[in-house]
Each structure stands twice: as C-alpha cells, then as structure tokens.
C-alpha cells in the first residue's frame, strides 16, 4: 500500500509544479495591445495618473499636458540602456521646449527616490520625471521592461511606442507623426 502511495504523491507534485510553471509564464506575458493599436493606425488614448514629481513638490499627470506633445519615457537608475538614451531624450526635451510644442516626461520604474535623483543629476536630465510608486502607471502601459518610450500627440493619443533603447531615427519618425 505504501509503495503505491509514493508514485501517486510524486505524480500530484509533478503536475502541480507544471501547473505553477504554466501559470507563471501566462501571467508574465507582455501586454502589447498598445503596439497592436498603433500598428493598425488606431491611436489609443494615453493612460494617465496623477503622480508625485521626482525631487519636487506637487504632482503631475499626462492628462495635464494635453495640448502638448509628450515623449513619455519609463526609466530607472539601474538601467544601462536608460543611461545610454538619456542624452537623446535631453536633446529632444530641449528642442520641444524651445519650440513650445511639448516635453519629455520621465517616469521612474522600480527605483528609489535618492537613486533616481542621482541618476538625473549625473546624466544632466532637466526634463521632469514622476515617481510611479507601485508601477500603477507602468502597468497601464503594459510596461515590464525598461526603457520604454511612448509618443503622445497634442490630443492625448499614443502615436508611437518603442520598448527598448530608442535612437534618433525613432524620435524623428515619431515626432513627424505629431507635426
């Protein structure tokens, strides 16, 4: 009787492990609905949340920037590709600001305030950044790997998205869509 019990327990444990593995893979799947909408030419409304300003007082939201072009970038201090794209984002921010057409808006992702502030200082970032505590906004964008960048037009619609380190070609193409 005991001999028959051991294979049954082993089978139940193995099936449980396979079930947990399958659940883990499915629950961590990438939400690419925004990319799919943009690819079809259906520019979805940009999700917005009111978040605290990094290193400052007060709050800001994407909805509060309606009427301006917003280059929304999710970043973190520990992210090497974020560091590599920071100069391009800073140049883009300065160009949008000088023309009066928009801004780059950073959103920290799984990062502490002191580390984020040091990153911004060390990389000469002057564009505003928000603290997404608990990644509530990132979740609404389907963000789970950073950097990720979303270009939002003046009416608050996402016109382009790039999940990974951006380059000048992406910025030029995305901003051409909002002009």
């Amino acid at each position: 009787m005991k001999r028959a019990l051991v294979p049954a327990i082993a089978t139940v444990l193995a099936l449980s492990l396979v079930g947990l593995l399958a659940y883990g893979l499915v629950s961590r799947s990438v939400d690419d609905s925004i990319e799919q909408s943009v690819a079809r030419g259906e520019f979805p409304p940009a999700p917005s949340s009111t978040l605290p300003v990094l290193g400052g007082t007060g709050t800001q939201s994407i909805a509060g920037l309606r009427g301006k072009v917003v280059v929304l970038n999710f970043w973190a201090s520990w992210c090497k590709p974020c560091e590599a794209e920071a100069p391009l984002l800073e140049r883009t921010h300065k160009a949008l600001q000088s023309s009066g057409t928009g801004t780059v808006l950073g959103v920290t992702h799984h990062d502490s305030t002191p580390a984020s502030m040091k990153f911004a200082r060390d990389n000469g970032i002057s564009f505003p950044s928000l603290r997404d505590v608990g990644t509530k906004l990132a979740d609404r964008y389907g963000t789970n790997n950073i950097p990720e960048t979303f270009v939002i037009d003046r009416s608050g619609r996402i016109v382009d998205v790039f999940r990974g380190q951006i380059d000048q070609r992406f910025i030029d193409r995305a901003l051409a869509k909002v002009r």
Side-chain angles (χ1 to χ4, degrees):
M1 180 70 96
K2 288 184 181 179
R3 283 188 168 160
L5 191 58
V6 172
I9 291 173
T11 301
V12 168
L13 288 174
L15 289 173
S16 297
L17 183 60
V18 169
L20 283 172
L21 180 61
Y23 172 76
L25 290 173
V26 169
S27 68
R28 294 183 61 99
S29 65
V30 174
D31 178 359
D32 62 353
S33 57
I34 291 175
E35 287 95 330
Q36 290 174 3
S37 293
V38 169
R40 288 190 304 265
E42 303 165 359
F43 304 128
S48 184
S49 295
T50 301
L51 299 172
V53 175
L54 175 66
T57 58
T59 58
Q60 177 74 47
S61 70
I62 295 161
L65 295 170
R66 182 129 328 147
K68 296 199 175 282
V69 172
V70 178
V71 177
L72 179 68
N73 177 261
F74 289 90
W75 64 272
S77 63
W78 44 264
C79 167
K80 290 298 180 193
C82 299
E83 186 175 352
E85 72 180 12
L88 173 57
L89 288 166
E90 182 62 21
R91 285 192 308 274
T92 301
H93 174 67
K94 287 182 178 174
L96 290 169
Q97 288 288 288
S98 69
S99 68
T101 58
T103 187
V104 170
L105 181 64
V107 178
T108 64
H109 190 267
H110 289 296
D111 211 2
S112 71
T113 298
S116 295
M117 290 177 63
K118 182 179 183 325
F119 179 90
R121 265 192 320 275
D122 291 351
N123 289 283
I125 293 174
S126 67
F127 56 82
S129 287
L130 308 177
R131 300 245 327 111
D132 189 13
V133 179
T135 66
K136 291 178 180 98
L137 184 62
D139 292 346
R140 294 177 66 200
Y141 280 85
T143 298
N144 55 20
N145 293 309
I146 56 168
E148 294 188 7
T149 304
F150 301 81
V151 177
I152 303 165
D153 69 11
R154 290 174 182 87
S155 65
R157 300 211 167 266
I158 300 170
V159 298
D160 215 336
V161 58
F162 195 85
R163 299 194 191 264
Q165 182 180 331
I166 61 168
D167 58 18
Q168 188 66 54
R169 187 172 50 199
F170 167 77
I171 288 293
D172 292 344
R173 181 189 76 222
L175 292 180
K177 292 179 181 182
V178 297
R179 289 192 176 112

